[in-house]
Amino acid sequence: MAPFTEDELKAKVHEGFIVESVEEMTEGYRKSLVVQLTVQADTELMSAPAYWMAARYAPSTNTQVSAHAIIQDELAHANIAYRLLEDIGESKEQLVYGREPHEFKHPYGFDQPLDNWADLVVATGFFDRAGITLLTDVHENTSYGPLKRALIKIGMEETFHLRHGEVWMKRLSNAGGEVREMLQRSVDWMFPMTLEWFGLPDDMKRHTGQLDYKLKGLTNDQLRQVWMSATVPLCESLGLNVPAHYDESAEHYVLDYPFPCQYDALEKHWFFEDGEISWDTVFKRWKARGPMNQRYVESIRRSRGQVAKWLTAA
Amino acid sequence: MHEAVYEVFARKERGEPLRHIGYIDAIDDALARVYAWKTYDEERWFEMCVVPRSSIIPVNRTDGPFAAAAPREERP
Ligand SMILES: [Fe+2]
Ligand SMILES: [Fe+2]
């Protein structure tokens, strides 16, 4: 039995109380934390096969090493997040091996193929920046002690991934010509993809409890602004076009395209020209999952059954 | 394939306190050492060690992961 009522715990965490054990949680708190950690763990896990399949486009042995170092980090981050889930009563075994591919909770962006070196570079520049934006907010605000501590390591490594992405974006952009066009194409599909990742706008946001239980500090729209405040100036400094700009009078970033809008995953094309769609349509697209969902999940799990058989036979 | 939880402790420099930095799951001590070293590679540690969670004997707390993992007779 939790030592607090839901309302007491909500009040306490906003006064600075840090939760350290599952026994101190109310069921509402535990459920919100499970959702948050599952999204975090699944995102880390699915980034690994996405980056791994793209690492074959690395242009040198050095870049192979750095790409695989990133993949190794992501798998470790996933492992840590699933371990945190175990300590609050969930099963890592079930989460990793017991679900259908479409039941994973990572963002739709990690259901997409990364088809060349520019895609991988922009993924580490944009997606990892989104990861840092979300996790920094959690690190600074979360009321759950074990997660706050685990995020120290994760934050350090994400910063390295991001640096890798940004340095390479600069290099490809300076190369000019065809390379730069390829880079721009990656930016074109991944910029709106990352903005969508932050989810429903605040004026439509359904209640999730993550703010009430102080599992995070910033709202979706605030997080989108933080991401843009780093990404838009970076792209502008590299001469890359992005469909967003800083509005001096409003003092925030505004989008120059209908948000949200429809996406063709096979063509990697956003239909700006068709105008704004409903978030229900977006949720339907997310739920159906993207083109690489099954392959990515299978690539994580494929040898398990066989090795388990060897070990029981031995 | 039963994995146990191991707590990971490390210090960066001589003279620093040993800190709890995380945990890993492993089927035995030998693999626990490898996984800990490979997973927590964000620093060049001066010292790292692993402890099976079930070997930690809680002194004052009756809640949390250490209490849950301790053998019954060791629980406060
Ligand atoms: Fe990560
Ligand atoms: Fe990352």
Side-chain angles (χ1 to χ4, degrees), chain A residues 112-155:
Chain A
Q112 311 306 320
L114 302 173
D115 289 317
N116 51 56
W117 184 241
D119 272 0
L120 180 57
V121 160
V122 178
T124 49
F126 283 8
F127 293 173
D128 286 78
R129 166 71 73 186
I132 291 184
T133 304
L134 291 157
L135 293 179
T136 303
D137 174 53
V138 175
H139 178 64
E140 284 168 3
N141 292 291
T142 183
S143 57
Y144 187 48
L147 175 56
K148 194 184 187 71
R149 293 188 289 275
L151 286 172
I152 298 170
K153 166 199 168 64
I154 294 174

Short mmCIF file of all heavy atoms in Angstrom, two decimals, chain A residues 112-155:
data_model
loop_
_atom_site.label_atom_id
_atom_site.label_comp_id
_atom_site.label_asym_id
_atom_site.label_seq_id
_atom_site.Cartn_x
_atom_site.Cartn_y
_atom_site.Cartn_z
N GLN A 112 11.50 4.42 -39.77
CA GLN A 112 11.84 4.84 -41.13
C GLN A 112 13.23 4.32 -41.50
O GLN A 112 14.11 4.21 -40.66
CB GLN A 112 11.83 6.37 -41.24
CG GLN A 112 10.58 7.03 -40.67
CD GLN A 112 9.30 6.47 -41.28
OE1 GLN A 112 9.23 6.19 -42.48
NE2 GLN A 112 8.28 6.28 -40.44
N PRO A 113 13.42 4.02 -42.79
CA PRO A 113 14.76 3.61 -43.23
C PRO A 113 15.70 4.81 -43.32
O PRO A 113 15.28 5.90 -43.73
CB PRO A 113 14.49 3.03 -44.62
CG PRO A 113 13.26 3.71 -45.10
CD PRO A 113 12.44 4.04 -43.88
N LEU A 114 16.94 4.60 -42.90
CA LEU A 114 17.98 5.61 -43.10
C LEU A 114 18.79 5.11 -44.29
O LEU A 114 19.48 4.09 -44.19
CB LEU A 114 18.82 5.77 -41.84
CG LEU A 114 18.02 6.16 -40.58
CD1 LEU A 114 18.90 6.14 -39.34
CD2 LEU A 114 17.37 7.53 -40.75
N ASP A 115 18.66 5.80 -45.43
CA ASP A 115 19.10 5.22 -46.70
C ASP A 115 20.48 5.60 -47.18
O ASP A 115 20.90 5.16 -48.24
CB ASP A 115 18.08 5.60 -47.79
CG ASP A 115 16.77 4.86 -47.61
OD1 ASP A 115 16.83 3.65 -47.30
OD2 ASP A 115 15.70 5.48 -47.75
N ASN A 116 21.15 6.47 -46.47
CA ASN A 116 22.50 6.87 -46.90
C ASN A 116 23.19 7.56 -45.72
O ASN A 116 22.59 7.74 -44.66
CB ASN A 116 22.42 7.81 -48.12
CG ASN A 116 21.47 8.96 -47.88
OD1 ASN A 116 21.63 9.70 -46.91
ND2 ASN A 116 20.46 9.10 -48.71
N TRP A 117 24.44 7.94 -45.92
CA TRP A 117 25.22 8.54 -44.84
C TRP A 117 24.60 9.85 -44.36
O TRP A 117 24.59 10.17 -43.16
CB TRP A 117 26.67 8.74 -45.29
CG TRP A 117 27.58 9.26 -44.22
CD1 TRP A 117 28.28 10.44 -44.24
CD2 TRP A 117 27.93 8.62 -42.97
NE1 TRP A 117 29.02 10.58 -43.10
CE2 TRP A 117 28.83 9.48 -42.30
CE3 TRP A 117 27.55 7.42 -42.36
CZ2 TRP A 117 29.36 9.17 -41.04
CZ3 TRP A 117 28.08 7.12 -41.11
CH2 TRP A 117 28.97 7.99 -40.47
N ALA A 118 24.04 10.62 -45.29
CA ALA A 118 23.41 11.89 -44.90
C ALA A 118 22.22 11.64 -43.98
O ALA A 118 22.03 12.36 -42.99
CB ALA A 118 22.98 12.68 -46.13
N ASP A 119 21.42 10.61 -44.27
CA ASP A 119 20.29 10.27 -43.40
C ASP A 119 20.79 9.94 -41.98
O ASP A 119 20.20 10.38 -40.99
CB ASP A 119 19.54 9.05 -43.93
CG ASP A 119 18.43 9.41 -44.93
OD1 ASP A 119 18.24 10.61 -45.21
OD2 ASP A 119 17.76 8.48 -45.42
N LEU A 120 21.87 9.18 -41.89
CA LEU A 120 22.37 8.81 -40.57
C LEU A 120 22.90 10.04 -39.82
O LEU A 120 22.66 10.22 -38.63
CB LEU A 120 23.47 7.74 -40.66
CG LEU A 120 24.03 7.29 -39.30
CD1 LEU A 120 22.95 6.76 -38.38
CD2 LEU A 120 25.12 6.23 -39.48
N VAL A 121 23.61 10.88 -40.55
CA VAL A 121 24.17 12.07 -39.96
C VAL A 121 23.07 13.01 -39.44
O VAL A 121 23.14 13.51 -38.31
CB VAL A 121 25.06 12.77 -41.02
CG1 VAL A 121 25.29 14.22 -40.68
CG2 VAL A 121 26.37 12.01 -41.19
N VAL A 122 22.04 13.22 -40.25
CA VAL A 122 20.95 14.11 -39.83
C VAL A 122 20.13 13.45 -38.70
O VAL A 122 19.66 14.12 -37.79
CB VAL A 122 20.07 14.52 -41.02
CG1 VAL A 122 18.90 15.41 -40.55
CG2 VAL A 122 20.89 15.26 -42.06
N ALA A 123 20.02 12.12 -38.74
CA ALA A 123 19.33 11.43 -37.64
C ALA A 123 20.05 11.71 -36.33
O ALA A 123 19.41 12.03 -35.31
CB ALA A 123 19.24 9.93 -37.89
N THR A 124 21.38 11.60 -36.31
CA THR A 124 22.08 11.87 -35.05
C THR A 124 22.02 13.37 -34.71
O THR A 124 22.02 13.74 -33.54
CB THR A 124 23.54 11.36 -35.06
OG1 THR A 124 24.18 11.78 -36.25
CG2 THR A 124 23.59 9.85 -34.98
N GLY A 125 21.96 14.22 -35.73
CA GLY A 125 21.83 15.66 -35.48
C GLY A 125 20.44 16.07 -35.00
O GLY A 125 20.32 16.92 -34.12
N PHE A 126 19.40 15.47 -35.57
CA PHE A 126 18.02 15.88 -35.25
C PHE A 126 17.38 14.98 -34.17
O PHE A 126 16.85 15.47 -33.19
CB PHE A 126 17.13 15.82 -36.50
CG PHE A 126 17.31 16.96 -37.47
CD1 PHE A 126 18.34 17.89 -37.33
CD2 PHE A 126 16.44 17.11 -38.54
CE1 PHE A 126 18.50 18.94 -38.24
CE2 PHE A 126 16.58 18.16 -39.45
CZ PHE A 126 17.60 19.06 -39.31
N PHE A 127 17.40 13.67 -34.42
CA PHE A 127 16.72 12.76 -33.49
C PHE A 127 17.43 12.75 -32.13
O PHE A 127 16.78 12.76 -31.08
CB PHE A 127 16.65 11.33 -34.04
CG PHE A 127 15.78 11.16 -35.27
CD1 PHE A 127 15.76 9.94 -35.96
CD2 PHE A 127 14.98 12.18 -35.76
CE1 PHE A 127 14.96 9.75 -37.08
CE2 PHE A 127 14.19 12.01 -36.90
CZ PHE A 127 14.18 10.78 -37.56
N ASP A 128 18.76 12.69 -32.16
CA ASP A 128 19.46 12.69 -30.88
C ASP A 128 19.30 14.03 -30.16
O ASP A 128 19.29 14.09 -28.94
CB ASP A 128 20.93 12.31 -31.05
CG ASP A 128 21.09 10.82 -31.32
OD1 ASP A 128 20.85 10.40 -32.45
OD2 ASP A 128 21.41 10.07 -30.37
N ARG A 129 19.18 15.11 -30.92
CA ARG A 129 18.87 16.41 -30.30
C ARG A 129 17.49 16.35 -29.64
O ARG A 129 17.31 16.89 -28.54
CB ARG A 129 18.95 17.53 -31.34
CG ARG A 129 18.34 18.86 -30.92
CD ARG A 129 19.15 19.62 -29.88
NE ARG A 129 20.37 20.18 -30.42
CZ ARG A 129 21.30 20.79 -29.67
NH1 ARG A 129 21.13 20.91 -28.36
NH2 ARG A 129 22.39 21.26 -30.23
N ALA A 130 16.55 15.69 -30.29
CA ALA A 130 15.23 15.53 -29.67
C ALA A 130 15.36 14.71 -28.39
O ALA A 130 14.75 15.03 -27.36
CB ALA A 130 14.25 14.86 -30.64
N GLY A 131 16.16 13.64 -28.47
CA GLY A 131 16.38 12.81 -27.29
C GLY A 131 16.96 13.63 -26.15
O GLY A 131 16.50 13.56 -25.01
N ILE A 132 17.98 14.43 -26.45
CA ILE A 132 18.60 15.25 -25.41
C ILE A 132 17.61 16.26 -24.85
O ILE A 132 17.54 16.48 -23.64
CB ILE A 132 19.83 16.00 -25.99
CG1 ILE A 132 20.95 15.01 -26.28
CG2 ILE A 132 20.31 17.09 -25.02
CD1 ILE A 132 22.23 15.65 -26.76
N THR A 133 16.82 16.86 -25.73
CA THR A 133 15.84 17.85 -25.29
C THR A 133 14.87 17.22 -24.29
O THR A 133 14.62 17.77 -23.21
CB THR A 133 15.06 18.38 -26.52
OG1 THR A 133 15.99 18.90 -27.45
CG2 THR A 133 14.06 19.45 -26.12
N LEU A 134 14.35 16.05 -24.64
CA LEU A 134 13.40 15.38 -23.76
C LEU A 134 14.06 14.91 -22.47
O LEU A 134 13.53 15.10 -21.38
CB LEU A 134 12.78 14.17 -24.49
CG LEU A 134 11.86 14.52 -25.66
CD1 LEU A 134 11.76 13.35 -26.64
CD2 LEU A 134 10.48 14.89 -25.14
N LEU A 135 15.25 14.29 -22.59
CA LEU A 135 15.87 13.69 -21.42
C LEU A 135 16.50 14.73 -20.48
O LEU A 135 16.55 14.52 -19.28
CB LEU A 135 16.89 12.63 -21.83
CG LEU A 135 16.29 11.39 -22.53
CD1 LEU A 135 17.38 10.40 -22.92
CD2 LEU A 135 15.24 10.71 -21.65
N THR A 136 16.97 15.83 -21.03
CA THR A 136 17.49 16.90 -20.17
C THR A 136 16.37 17.45 -19.30
O THR A 136 16.55 17.68 -18.10
CB THR A 136 18.09 18.05 -21.01
OG1 THR A 136 19.11 17.51 -21.85
CG2 THR A 136 18.69 19.14 -20.13
N ASP A 137 15.21 17.61 -19.92
CA ASP A 137 14.05 18.08 -19.16
C ASP A 137 13.70 17.08 -18.05
O ASP A 137 13.45 17.47 -16.91
CB ASP A 137 12.86 18.29 -20.11
CG ASP A 137 11.59 18.63 -19.36
OD1 ASP A 137 11.62 19.58 -18.56
OD2 ASP A 137 10.57 17.93 -19.55
N VAL A 138 13.73 15.80 -18.38
CA VAL A 138 13.44 14.78 -17.37
C VAL A 138 14.51 14.83 -16.27
O VAL A 138 14.20 14.84 -15.07
CB VAL A 138 13.37 13.36 -18.00
CG1 VAL A 138 13.18 12.30 -16.91
CG2 VAL A 138 12.23 13.29 -19.01
N HIS A 139 15.78 14.89 -16.69
CA HIS A 139 16.86 14.91 -15.70
C HIS A 139 16.71 16.08 -14.73
O HIS A 139 16.90 15.93 -13.53
CB HIS A 139 18.22 15.00 -16.42
CG HIS A 139 19.38 15.08 -15.48
ND1 HIS A 139 19.70 14.05 -14.62
CD2 HIS A 139 20.27 16.06 -15.23
CE1 HIS A 139 20.75 14.40 -13.89
NE2 HIS A 139 21.11 15.61 -14.25
N GLU A 140 16.36 17.23 -15.26
CA GLU A 140 16.27 18.42 -14.40
C GLU A 140 15.02 18.42 -13.53
O GLU A 140 15.00 19.06 -12.48
CB GLU A 140 16.28 19.69 -15.26
CG GLU A 140 17.68 20.00 -15.79
CD GLU A 140 17.69 21.07 -16.87
OE1 GLU A 140 16.61 21.63 -17.19
OE2 GLU A 140 18.80 21.33 -17.40
N ASN A 141 13.98 17.73 -13.97
CA ASN A 141 12.71 17.88 -13.26
C ASN A 141 12.15 16.63 -12.60
O ASN A 141 11.26 16.74 -11.76
CB ASN A 141 11.66 18.43 -14.23
CG ASN A 141 11.96 19.86 -14.63
OD1 ASN A 141 11.86 20.75 -13.80
ND2 ASN A 141 12.37 20.07 -15.87
N THR A 142 12.64 15.45 -12.99
CA THR A 142 11.94 14.25 -12.53
C THR A 142 11.96 14.11 -11.01
O THR A 142 12.96 14.45 -10.36
CB THR A 142 12.49 12.96 -13.16
OG1 THR A 142 11.69 11.85 -12.71
CG2 THR A 142 13.93 12.69 -12.75
N SER A 143 10.86 13.57 -10.49
CA SER A 143 10.77 13.31 -9.06
C SER A 143 11.22 11.88 -8.75
O SER A 143 11.17 11.47 -7.60
CB SER A 143 9.33 13.50 -8.59
OG SER A 143 8.46 12.66 -9.34
N TYR A 144 11.64 11.12 -9.76
CA TYR A 144 12.05 9.73 -9.52
C TYR A 144 13.59 9.64 -9.47
O TYR A 144 14.27 9.78 -10.49
CB TYR A 144 11.48 8.81 -10.60
CG TYR A 144 11.73 7.34 -10.30
CD1 TYR A 144 11.46 6.80 -9.04
CD2 TYR A 144 12.25 6.48 -11.27
CE1 TYR A 144 11.70 5.47 -8.75
CE2 TYR A 144 12.49 5.13 -10.98
CZ TYR A 144 12.21 4.64 -9.72
OH TYR A 144 12.46 3.31 -9.43
N GLY A 145 14.11 9.42 -8.27
CA GLY A 145 15.56 9.44 -8.03
C GLY A 145 16.37 8.52 -8.92
O GLY A 145 17.36 8.96 -9.53
N PRO A 146 16.01 7.22 -9.02
CA PRO A 146 16.82 6.30 -9.83
C PRO A 146 16.94 6.75 -11.30
O PRO A 146 17.98 6.58 -11.91
CB PRO A 146 16.06 4.98 -9.71
CG PRO A 146 15.40 5.05 -8.37
CD PRO A 146 15.00 6.50 -8.22
N LEU A 147 15.89 7.34 -11.84
CA LEU A 147 15.94 7.80 -13.23
C LEU A 147 16.85 9.02 -13.36
O LEU A 147 17.66 9.12 -14.28
CB LEU A 147 14.52 8.12 -13.74
CG LEU A 147 14.42 8.71 -15.14
CD1 LEU A 147 15.09 7.82 -16.19
CD2 LEU A 147 12.95 8.94 -15.53
N LYS A 148 16.72 9.93 -12.40
CA LYS A 148 17.55 11.13 -12.42
C LYS A 148 19.04 10.74 -12.46
O LYS A 148 19.82 11.28 -13.23
CB LYS A 148 17.25 11.97 -11.18
CG LYS A 148 17.79 13.39 -11.21
CD LYS A 148 17.50 14.07 -9.87
CE LYS A 148 17.86 15.55 -9.90
NZ LYS A 148 16.93 16.34 -10.72
N ARG A 149 19.41 9.76 -11.64
CA ARG A 149 20.82 9.33 -11.59
C ARG A 149 21.25 8.63 -12.88
O ARG A 149 22.33 8.86 -13.39
CB ARG A 149 21.05 8.43 -10.38
CG ARG A 149 20.90 9.17 -9.05
CD ARG A 149 21.32 8.31 -7.87
NE ARG A 149 20.41 7.22 -7.58
CZ ARG A 149 19.32 7.32 -6.81
NH1 ARG A 149 19.00 8.50 -6.26
NH2 ARG A 149 18.55 6.28 -6.57
N ALA A 150 20.35 7.78 -13.41
CA ALA A 150 20.71 7.03 -14.63
C ALA A 150 20.94 7.97 -15.81
O ALA A 150 21.70 7.66 -16.72
CB ALA A 150 19.60 6.03 -14.96
N LEU A 151 20.28 9.12 -15.77
CA LEU A 151 20.36 10.03 -16.92
C LEU A 151 21.69 10.78 -17.00
O LEU A 151 21.97 11.40 -18.02
CB LEU A 151 19.18 11.00 -16.90
CG LEU A 151 17.84 10.36 -17.32
CD1 LEU A 151 16.69 11.32 -17.09
CD2 LEU A 151 17.88 9.91 -18.78
N ILE A 152 22.52 10.70 -15.97
CA ILE A 152 23.83 11.37 -16.04
C ILE A 152 24.66 10.75 -17.16
O ILE A 152 25.16 11.43 -18.04
CB ILE A 152 24.57 11.27 -14.70
CG1 ILE A 152 23.77 11.97 -13.60
CG2 ILE A 152 25.97 11.87 -14.81
CD1 ILE A 152 24.29 11.73 -12.19
N LYS A 153 24.79 9.43 -17.11
CA LYS A 153 25.56 8.71 -18.14
C LYS A 153 24.95 8.92 -19.52
O LYS A 153 25.64 9.21 -20.49
CB LYS A 153 25.60 7.22 -17.80
CG LYS A 153 26.07 6.35 -18.95
CD LYS A 153 25.67 4.89 -18.75
CE LYS A 153 25.88 4.07 -20.01
NZ LYS A 153 27.28 3.98 -20.42
N ILE A 154 23.62 8.75 -19.58
CA ILE A 154 22.94 8.81 -20.87
C ILE A 154 23.11 10.19 -21.51
O ILE A 154 23.41 10.31 -22.69
CB ILE A 154 21.44 8.43 -20.69
CG1 ILE A 154 21.35 6.95 -20.29
CG2 ILE A 154 20.64 8.70 -21.96
CD1 ILE A 154 19.96 6.45 -19.93
N GLY A 155 22.99 11.23 -20.70
CA GLY A 155 23.15 12.59 -21.20
C GLY A 155 24.54 12.85 -21.77
O GLY A 155 24.70 13.46 -22.83
#
